[in-house]
Amino acid sequence: MWFGVLCAKLSPLGLASETFEETLGLLAARLAEIEELERFIRENGRSYTTTTAQGDVMCRPYPEVAMLNEARRHAQSLAAEFGLTPASIGRVGRQQKGQSDENPWGAFGG
């Protein structure tokens, strides 16, 4: 799903290209991972309580919280590579005149 969304957003910029397939795939995978981790946190909360060996109750964050933070940082970095953040849009080159706006992946990408 995310791969198609990204291709649709990047096509008008001339950046939905087979040249960037791996990076687009990685960004799509990270966005899907973020969805899964956010779902886990919504359902379970950000932390849990546990009892230490000494019998004290301790609150700990789920590992998914750190995983989500890392996935978000990586996704933002990858999105910036394609000009998908406000600060990066001006740094990304646009399609040259005469190049096709067609999605090279056809139904797979959209």
Side-chain angles (χ1 to χ4, degrees), residues 16-47:
S17 161
E18 291 177 9
T19 304
F20 308 120
E21 180 179 359
E22 290 80 11
T23 308
L24 275 173
L26 185 54
L27 177 54
R30 277 302 205 177
L31 292 172
E33 181 182 6
I34 288 168
E35 277 185 336
E36 289 178 31
L37 293 167
E38 286 175 340
R39 186 177 313 111
F40 176 89
I41 292 170
R42 260 192 321 276
E43 293 172 1
N44 299 287
R46 298 181 70 79
S47 60

Side-chain angles (χ1 to χ4, degrees), residues 28-103:
R30 277 302 205 177
L31 292 172
E33 181 182 6
I34 288 168
E35 277 185 336
E36 289 178 31
L37 293 167
E38 286 175 340
R39 186 177 313 111
F40 176 89
I41 292 170
R42 260 192 321 276
E43 293 172 1
N44 299 287
R46 298 181 70 79
S47 60
Y48 63 97
T49 56
T50 186
T51 305
T52 67
Q54 293 77 23
D56 297 323
V57 175
M58 182 174 168
C59 184
R60 294 191 138 172
Y62 280 111
E64 287 80 1
V65 172
M67 293 165 61
L68 175 60
N69 290 334
E70 178 59 28
R72 283 178 174 164
R73 276 192 291 277
H74 191 210
Q76 182 181 8
S77 173
L78 290 167
E81 293 289 327
F82 290 102
L84 294 175
T85 65
S88 68
I89 187 66
R91 292 192 303 255
V92 176
R94 297 204 180 254
Q95 173 178 335
Q96 298 296 316
K97 193 172 188 166
Q99 287 180 321
S100 173
D101 285 340
E102 291 180 30
N103 182 344

